[in-house]
Amino acid sequence: MINEERLLLHLAELAKIGSTPEGGVNRFSFTAEEMVANLYIKQLMEAAGMTVSTDAIGNIIGEVNSHIDTPAIVLGSHIDTVPNGGHYDGALGVLSAIEVIHTLQDNNIPLKRPVKVIAFKDEEGTRFQFGMIGSRAAAGTLQLEELQRTDEEGISIAEAMQQDGLDAANVADAKLSNVDCYVELHIEQGKVLEKAGVGVGVVTGIAGPLWQQITLSGTAEHAGATPMALRQDALVGASLIIAKIEELARQYPAAVATVGKLSVSPNGVNVIPGEVTFTVDIRDIEEEVRNALEQEIYHAAQAIAQERQLTLAIETLQRVAPVKCDAEIQQIIAQAIADNGQQVVHLPSGAGHDAMQFNGQFPVAMIFVRSKDGISHNPKEFTSAEDIIAGANVLKQTLLELDQR
């Protein structure tokens, strides 16, 4: 079994780096807090017997058996946070992977294959509003022009890299090669496992986000002088579409659709809204299902706009393909959960993760650990010690099985 006290201590120590008065964590990439955290992660990797390096984008990589020329098993997650984030999101995956290697080292259990443990750079995208920089680079999909994205102070990702001693021109060197598979342990950030009464689950796939911006244009007129029958109220039209989006999404078992941002113009108390812009985030682990829901929303919005004499414009902000987790590795994880005396629950991930960046390159899989009340990205984010240990032991057994393939 993994060393329970050591893993819990490492989680507590990492949570101190960037801690907030509310009990959360501010640990953003390309900051002093992250530099301290990276040093701590390197020390833990070295103590676990790994050879440690930093790649061209700033990912921290610990390796064992790097001299063996066979495809590597990769474990990992991230240690950056959202503003005032929790102690477990990302960090649990990195520290659990390090602990697995440390436990095997302590017990003289050899691995036949090379294994890499990676703490990926900037998964959350807090500073530059562009997440998964490290895993994008590791997948070879990060483009040089994307490194010109800037933060609120006008500093680009490339400039922030330079301040950390990294050269954006070398980002292509971060691409992983000769990889057998990738496995990531992560907190669920939802309530499925809690509702099922189990601590660890098998992830079937990662939903791909489709983000759209919808703009409805009507006529801004005097609120007192314009009769109700003669109005072209963009906000009323938008409210009808938003309600329809929820109704349509409920017809699909695993799909979700969220309107999270809304802007009203002119935004005056005594002025009929002439233009409304809002976003919609549509997700499902089946791309065909997600696209079908997208079309239903489009046709419904078009009908409402036409009925209310409004102009409709829809812009796609991003379209990311959903990712299916590898079926064989799902079976290995499920067996590990069963061997640890728990019911096996399969569930999709509605949130995005570093694992999805490797879609189509090599098999990926995820292990979820129960989140209390489903709360995440919040100081109240909590996973019990019992579930943490169970998850880490499932990760260990999964690695050992993969090593024997």
Side-chain angles (χ1 to χ4, degrees), residues 45-293:
M45 287 177 169
E46 289 169 352
M50 289 184 263
T51 302
V52 184
S53 62
T54 303
D55 70 10
I57 196 67
N59 296 324
I60 309 301
I61 305 174
E63 299 181 71
V64 293
N65 291 344
S66 57
H67 61 284
I68 300 176
D69 189 22
T70 57
I73 300 166
V74 181
L75 312 177
S77 196
H78 62 97
I79 61 168
D80 64 304
T81 73
V82 298
N84 208 23
H87 294 186
Y88 306 92
D89 179 0
L92 181 59
V94 174
L95 294 176
S96 293
I98 294 172
E99 178 54 43
V100 165
I101 300 299
H102 205 155
T103 294
L104 298 180
Q105 179 86 0
D106 285 348
N107 291 276
N108 298 313
I109 300 174
L111 292 166
K112 298 179 179 179
R113 313 184 68 149
V115 177
K116 298 177 188 284
V117 175
I118 305 180
F120 288 108
K121 190 84 168 181
D122 204 4
E123 192 266 1
E124 299 290 2
T126 298
R127 180 175 174 184
F128 298 98
Q129 304 300 300
F130 182 62
M132 304 188 193
I133 292 174
S135 50
R136 289 175 196 266
T141 58
L142 183 64
Q143 304 299 313
L144 274 176
E145 56 267 25
E146 291 173 325
L147 298 179
Q148 299 309 313
R149 288 172 175 260
T150 58
D151 62 11
E152 293 180 352
E153 297 178 357
I155 298 172
S156 69
I157 299 173
E159 290 169 333
M161 289 176 62
Q162 187 175 22
Q163 292 170 4
D164 276 9
L166 302 167
D167 187 346
N170 298 329
V171 70
D173 296 341
K175 187 179 189 307
L176 290 171
S177 60
N178 203 24
V179 173
D180 176 74
C181 62
Y182 173 75
V183 181
E184 180 172 354
L185 181 144
H186 204 281
I187 58 169
E188 182 194 347
Q189 302 175 285
K191 302 178 182 179
V192 174
L193 294 178
E194 186 174 62
K195 186 175 181 181
V198 299
V200 187
V202 186
V203 179
T204 56
I206 306 169
L210 166 59
W211 288 2
Q212 293 183 324
Q213 181 171 279
I214 299 177
T215 301
L216 280 174
S217 301
T219 304
E221 297 181 278
H222 196 290
T226 308
M228 298 300 292
L230 300 179
R231 298 183 177 208
Q232 291 174 283
D233 189 324
L235 182 56
V236 172
S239 67
L240 293 171
I241 294 173
I242 292 167
K244 192 67 177 179
I245 288 171
E246 181 185 46
E247 177 188 329
L248 292 170
R250 285 178 178 270
Q251 297 175 8
Y252 294 87
V256 293
T258 305
V259 174
K261 188 176 180 180
L262 184 143
S263 173
V264 180
S265 177
N267 205 31
V269 173
N270 60 347
V271 185
I272 298 167
E275 184 174 278
V276 173
T277 299
F278 60 93
T279 59
V280 57
D281 178 331
I282 310 170
R283 303 188 189 211
D284 195 282
I285 62 169
E286 298 289 346
E287 192 163 14
E288 297 80 7
V289 171
R290 185 192 67 182
N291 293 348
L293 176 55

